[in-house]
Amino acid sequence: MENRNDRKSYYKGLLTGVILCVLMIGVLALSGCFTKTSAASSGSQTTGTGDAVEASGSGSSDDMTDISNRYSEIEQKLNKLHAVLDKYYLDVSDDSDITQDDMAEGIYKGYVDALNEPYTVYYTKGEYEQLQESTSGKYSGIGVVVSQNKETGVITVVRPFEGSPGAEAGILKDDILYKVAGKEVTGVDVTEVVTWIKGEEGSTVSIEVYRPSEDKYLTFEVERKTIEIPMVTSKMLDSNIGYVAVYEFEETTADQFNQAIDELTAQGMKGLIIDLRDNPGGLVNSATAILDRILPKDQLLVYTVDKNDKKQEEYTKDDDTIDVPISVLINGNSASASEIVSGCLQDYGKAKLVGTTSFGKGIVQYVLPLGDGSAIKLTSAKYYTPNGRNIHGTGIDPDEEVELDSDSKTDTQLEKAQEVVLEQIQAE
């Protein structure tokens, strides 16, 4: 398996610039040639399914992705590479099933990888199908949430779902993902790695992790099962303080959040803690739907600015509000849509943020299908909080900074959030 993947990486490196065939059929129009397409995200969503969108670029001849004037050169280079490989290359691996499709996919991935931007990714047909599953709240996999360090590319397990195949196999929070199905994952886009973990129910996948607490590598053979993701959990804490944990922003999240708020309100909720720790983000329209539930009508929630300086604003649409003191828990794994929610509430003074500085992802991706089953996720805009903050690379600082005490038997951050909310209740 590793030899085959090494060969694929070799070809991809050789053929990164060779994208003539892609450009000729007009599917990878990064040079600003997009016409009306069916998008896998609507508005300013990240990943998922949504409405059709019309995207247009500048189409300027000095665009760094415009290589149309090099078609002849590229074709000659591709022919030369093919001739050399055909004449000299000896396949000595045990897994010699590379196809022409594999070579072509390597070219497409290489072209997009050449941008050297971790959030812009090409998906094969199979990868795109699995990506679409992840936003529905139900998929076949092992039931773990992972997060990627933006500087090192290291992928860490942040939450195994209780009772999931991954948890039952022994995978723990804070395990560092090393290999999936024999392929090293460090530096690979986390969304692509997730597609490797997922698969047909009943099939197995090899997961190798490094466990820092034991300073050793562990390998697990995990059987994939259908996972129904609990996006939201809730409970009532002491002093009638409601607690709602939001794990990801997907299609079902807003409905689950609203149901939790309704139940806590019926129980006499006097204050609220929204836990966004280790929430990697997701669909922006899911985040804005939750903000719509919290804030009154006609409030600016977030705005985006694209490469042509086109500004798009999102506002609340109804009069529903949550009129109790609120605290939001964040940490270094709270990213993207999580930061849209926490940044917006902080700007309006609607909530106090407790914990540590958030991840710092202030950009938006569209997922655009390319007409043949494949797709591209590309960075399309920067987003800004209502006060005009773009937090990309810096994150959002909490109002009350509290490190999680790993030696304590209690959740020190949650305790501080309760204290903050209780002080606001008593001050009213």
Side-chain angles (χ1 to χ4, degrees):
M1 178 72 82
E2 289 184 62
N3 288 337
R4 181 187 174 199
N5 290 316
D6 288 343
R7 297 198 316 278
K8 284 187 176 181
S9 296
Y10 168 73
Y11 289 142
K12 184 174 73 173
L14 283 175
L15 303 178
T16 292
V18 187
I19 201 63
L20 171 66
C21 55
V22 186
L23 293 175
M24 289 179 67
I25 61 174
V27 294
L28 277 184
L30 286 179
S31 58
C33 302
F34 279 118
T35 55
K36 191 168 184 180
T37 66
S38 175
S41 62
S42 60
S44 54
Q45 284 179 309
T46 52
T47 59
T49 56
D51 301 327
V53 63
E54 187 168 342
S56 59
S58 63
S60 58
S61 59
D62 59 350
D63 191 317
M64 66 177 180
T65 61
D66 184 359
I67 56 173
S68 57
N69 62 335
R70 300 184 63 184
Y71 284 176
S72 178
E73 172 192 342
I74 290 169
E75 184 176 20
Q76 290 177 19
K77 184 69 171 284
L78 177 59
N79 288 333
K80 184 178 292 187
L81 286 170
H82 172 74
V84 171
L85 291 171
D86 187 54
K87 184 174 182 179
Y88 297 109
Y89 176 68
L90 171 65
D91 187 352
V92 296
S93 74
D94 297 327
D95 205 3
S96 57
D97 58 348
I98 291 180
T99 67
Q100 289 184 352
D101 286 344
D102 292 329
M103 296 292 289
E105 295 293 355
I107 294 172
Y108 310 151
K109 282 183 176 289
Y111 179 64
V112 177
D113 287 348
L115 294 172
N116 198 29
E117 199 264 280
Y119 302 113
T120 296
V121 182
Y122 170 82
Y123 296 117
T124 66
K125 180 179 179 181
E127 290 168 347
Y128 180 45
E129 288 173 350
Q130 293 187 42
L131 177 67
Q132 288 176 297
E133 284 183 0
S134 68
T135 65
S136 67
K138 187 176 181 179
Y139 68 94
S140 177
I142 67 171
V144 298
V145 177
V146 295
S147 179
Q148 187 167 41
N149 184 291
K150 59 188 174 182
E151 296 177 352
T152 65
V154 169
I155 298 175
T156 304
V157 176
V158 297
R159 183 168 64 101
F161 294 124
E162 185 177 353
S164 68
E168 292 180 350
I171 296 174
L172 301 178
K173 185 181 187 303
D174 297 327
D175 281 350
I176 295 173
L177 210 58
Y178 176 49
K179 290 184 179 180
V180 174
K183 297 181 284 189
E184 292 190 22
V185 302
T186 301
V188 180
D189 177 71
V190 66
T191 309
E192 184 173 357
V193 173
V194 168
T195 67
W196 300 349
I197 297 174
K198 295 175 183 178
E200 184 178 352
E201 184 171 13
S203 62
T204 60
V205 60
S206 175
I207 305 291
E208 187 173 351
V209 304
Y210 171 71
R211 185 163 293 167
S213 62
E214 300 177 17
D215 190 23
K216 64 181 180 181
Y217 289 86
L218 301 167
T219 301
F220 304 93
E221 297 294 328
V222 189
E223 181 181 349
R224 299 179 176 103
K225 296 181 180 178
T226 298
I227 307 295
E228 294 190 16
I229 308 171
M231 298 297 180
V232 174
T233 60
S234 62
K235 59 184 175 181
M236 187 69 80
L237 304 177
D238 294 340
S239 303
N240 279 13
I241 298 175
Y243 170 85
V244 178
V246 181
Y247 300 118
E248 292 184 57
F249 291 92
E250 304 298 357
E251 293 176 5
T252 59
T253 305
D255 287 341
Q256 293 181 26
F257 179 83
N258 288 335
Q259 181 179 349
I261 294 299
D262 290 343
E263 291 173 355
L264 291 169
T265 300
Q267 297 173 40
M269 178 176 68
K270 296 181 179 179
L272 174 64
I273 296 171
I274 302 173
D275 193 344
L276 298 181
R277 292 176 297 180
D278 298 325
N279 184 320
L283 304 179
V284 173
N285 65 355
S286 176
T288 56
I290 285 176
L291 287 169
D292 201 352
R293 178 68 176 83
I294 298 171
L295 296 167
K297 189 176 181 179
D298 296 329
Q299 299 293 301
L300 177 64
L301 302 176
V302 64
Y303 67 90
T304 61
V305 179
D306 67 14
K307 67 183 292 184
N308 298 314
D309 291 327
K310 181 180 179 181
K311 185 176 181 181
Q312 180 175 329
E313 299 175 327
E314 296 291 333
Y315 288 86
T316 52
K317 298 177 177 62
D318 59 54
D319 290 317
D320 290 339
T321 59
I322 298 178
D323 294 320
V324 298
I326 301 174
S327 179
V328 177
L329 285 164
I330 58 172
N331 65 8
N333 291 323
S334 304
S336 190
S338 294
E339 294 172 297
I340 287 176
V341 171
S342 54
C344 176
L345 295 178
Q346 186 182 54
D347 277 5
Y348 284 119
K350 183 68 175 180
K352 296 288 186 181
L353 307 190
V354 176
T356 55
T357 301
S358 64
F359 183 86
K361 183 172 181 288
I363 52 179
V364 175
Q365 282 75 43
Y366 285 107
V367 180
L368 299 176
L370 300 176
D372 59 353
S374 64
I376 181 172
K377 179 181 74 171
L378 68 155
T379 299
S380 58
K382 295 180 179 180
Y383 78 73
Y384 296 82
T385 68
N387 285 352
R389 292 187 292 166
N390 177 262
I391 49 80
H392 192 65
T394 59
I396 296 174
D397 293 328
D399 300 296
E400 298 282 349
E401 184 169 0
V402 181
E403 294 285 347
L404 188 62
D405 187 353
S406 57
D407 295 327
S408 175
K409 294 182 179 179
T410 60
D411 187 336
T412 50
Q413 293 175 332
L414 178 58
E415 285 184 339
K416 182 61 178 180
Q418 289 178 268
E419 179 184 318
V420 167
V421 171
L422 190 58
E423 287 176 353
Q424 293 179 73
I425 293 173
Q426 293 171 346
E428 290 184 345

